[in-house]
Amino acid sequence: MLAHFLSRTRGIRSRIGCISFYRTLAGAPGIGSDIPGHTLDSILKTDLLQESSAEEISRVWTEYHKKKDGFVCGVIPSMHYAEIEAKSKICPRFVYAIPKDSGFEMMYSEFHQHRVSFTSLEAFKALQNSAPPLLELFHYVDFQQSKDIVLMRGVYKAPLTSAEAVFLANQLQMYYRIDPERYKLVHTFNHNPAFFDFNELLQNLDAPDKKVPSHRVPTSTSE
């Protein structure tokens, strides 16, 4: 049962069986907000940027979000995002551990096309797909073909901090693109959950990232 799976995350054991947890997700609409008409044009005047270079657009995007509370942003090379998107279609769900002074907090995430929603595992336990997202990463592909970049915007809210939002955005890169060994964990979680090993996930918290994302997400000005 889901409650049994979640209770085991407090005292982690190797090879946690999460088949029942995964089955609760099958065919579910998923967490996250539906935002009709949510486009890049609603944020920036993209028609004014058509003649700009990728570097100029990246600078405008970053500077714009420095003035916004509750946001983080990033610029992802087109090929990098294509890899993430392809893997997300195969493995749309995963869990992450956020380091805390007293240990760690588990977060659950789902991809929905070009959006990734994160909520606490405890909230998902109580509310399932009605759990409110604490962080949503929106990927705008308007310039993917013409400028070879994808613009990312993260919207977060308390109790998540800007540093934790940045951490999750960068961890997504580590698990879905940069580190093949970590992606094996993602694949196991989605397709063979009985053999998913939380110990291995937590061990990654103790080791510094071996490879740094080339587009590491800048922190916002808000905490």
Side-chain angles (χ1 to χ4, degrees):
M1 298 296 292
L2 176 60
H4 173 69
F5 168 82
L6 291 166
S7 68
R8 297 283 299 277
T9 63
R10 297 188 182 92
I12 303 298
R13 297 291 184 271
S14 181
R15 303 302 184 202
I16 292 179
C18 54
I19 292 178
S20 296
F21 169 73
Y22 186 73
R23 283 177 178 168
T24 65
L25 306 176
I31 60 172
S33 57
D34 294 322
I35 307 178
H38 184 80
T39 64
L40 184 59
D41 278 319
S42 67
I43 303 171
L44 296 177
K45 295 181 179 180
T46 57
D47 57 322
L48 300 180
L49 297 174
Q50 294 301 324
E51 302 302 320
S52 301
S53 67
E55 291 75 16
E56 289 170 334
I57 294 172
S58 299
R59 184 169 58 253
V60 168
W61 185 248
T62 302
E63 290 298 320
Y64 174 81
H65 284 92
K66 283 183 178 179
K67 306 171 185 178
K68 299 290 183 180
D69 292 340
F71 295 92
V72 295
C73 73
V75 180
I76 306 174
S78 179
M79 288 183 63
H80 292 181
Y81 182 70
E83 180 179 354
I84 294 170
E85 183 183 15
K87 289 179 177 177
S88 73
K89 292 177 180 178
I90 300 170
C91 300
R93 305 176 178 96
F94 195 53
V95 288
Y96 298 89
I98 298 179
K100 296 284 188 179
D101 292 338
S102 58
F104 59 89
E105 179 181 0
M106 297 304 302
M107 300 291 291
Y108 168 74
S109 68
E110 287 184 8
F111 277 85
H112 317 273
Q113 295 183 328
H114 298 300
R115 186 180 87 242
V116 194
S117 299
F118 296 79
T119 190
S120 75
L121 203 53
E122 286 298 319
F124 190 81
K125 171 184 175 180
L127 301 173
Q128 304 261 331
N129 293 309
S130 297
L134 296 179
L135 170 67
E136 291 190 285
L137 302 180
F138 297 89
H139 298 91
Y140 302 97
V141 297
D142 305 58
F143 297 113
Q144 186 172 17
Q145 299 300 322
S146 61
K147 309 295 181 181
D148 204 31
I149 56 174
V150 171
L151 303 180
M152 187 281 289
R153 184 190 216 195
V155 184
Y156 70 91
K157 60 185 178 182
L160 209 65
T161 67
S162 64
E164 290 170 340
V166 169
F167 175 82
L168 287 172
N170 284 323
Q171 284 295 292
L172 184 148
Q173 294 288 327
M174 293 299 301
Y175 279 91
Y176 276 85
R177 184 183 65 82
I178 295 174
D179 192 336
E181 290 302 313
R182 296 192 192 191
Y183 179 67
K184 289 179 181 178
L185 276 179
V186 178
H187 194 276
T188 298
F189 182 82
N190 281 266
H191 298 285
N192 201 3
F195 293 94
F196 180 74
D197 191 349
F198 261 99
N199 279 335
E200 191 172 351
L201 179 74
L202 296 178
Q203 286 169 6
N204 290 333
L205 284 179
D206 299 329
D209 290 344
K210 298 177 182 177
K211 301 176 183 178
V212 178
S214 61
H215 55 278
R216 180 168 292 277
V217 184
T219 56
S220 73
T221 57
S222 166
E223 287 292 339

